[in-house]
Amino acid sequence: SGYWYREGSDDDESKRKFVIVFVGAGWCRNEEECALRATGGTGSSKSWYPLMSGYGITSADPEENPDFHTFNVAWVGYCDGAFFMGDRREPFRGLHFQGRAIV
């Protein structure tokens, strides 16, 4: 997994405030589905964009996001297929299912 980060406003109060977004990308229901999913864009970080731009609750525009525009924002990328809940001890077909460790 990986993350994108946008630093918020420079004032002391905003430096301590965060919006954390867990980016979703689909779910696999068993090991075979996860192995197949791993070969595409939702199963690997290799095709991720280098930058993330905010909108809605993650926007830095005070008109679009009056409540949180000064906050730090972190987007946590998702590629384990188990919604950050995997905790498999041994890999399966090269997949580790360690999403829980990410959170």
Side-chain angles (χ1 to χ4, degrees):
S1 190
Y3 67 91
W4 298 267
Y5 176 74
R6 188 193 76 227
E7 193 169 355
S9 295
D10 203 22
D11 64 271
D12 287 338
E13 185 175 339
S14 293
K15 285 182 180 182
R16 296 185 304 262
K17 296 180 178 179
F18 286 82
V19 172
I20 301 174
V21 178
F22 291 93
V23 181
W27 188 284
C28 50
R29 296 171 290 177
N30 57 52
E31 293 162 330
E32 286 75 23
E33 282 185 9
C34 289
L36 182 61
R37 181 185 179 283
T39 62
T42 59
S44 171
S45 60
K46 292 177 182 176
S47 65
W48 288 0
Y49 294 109
L51 300 172
M52 181 70 83
S53 60
Y55 62 91
I57 195 171
T58 62
S59 173
D61 180 348
E63 288 188 26
E64 181 179 358
N65 183 16
D67 296 320
F68 303 105
H69 69 277
T70 61
F71 286 29
N72 300 290
V73 179
W75 294 267
V76 181
Y78 170 70
C79 63
D80 79 334
F83 201 70
F84 301 104
M85 294 187 298
D87 192 27
R88 187 180 179 99
R89 302 232 186 270
E90 298 296 324
F92 174 80
R93 294 185 189 172
L95 304 176
H96 294 271
F97 302 101
Q98 290 290 309
R100 195 169 108 187
I102 296 166
V103 178

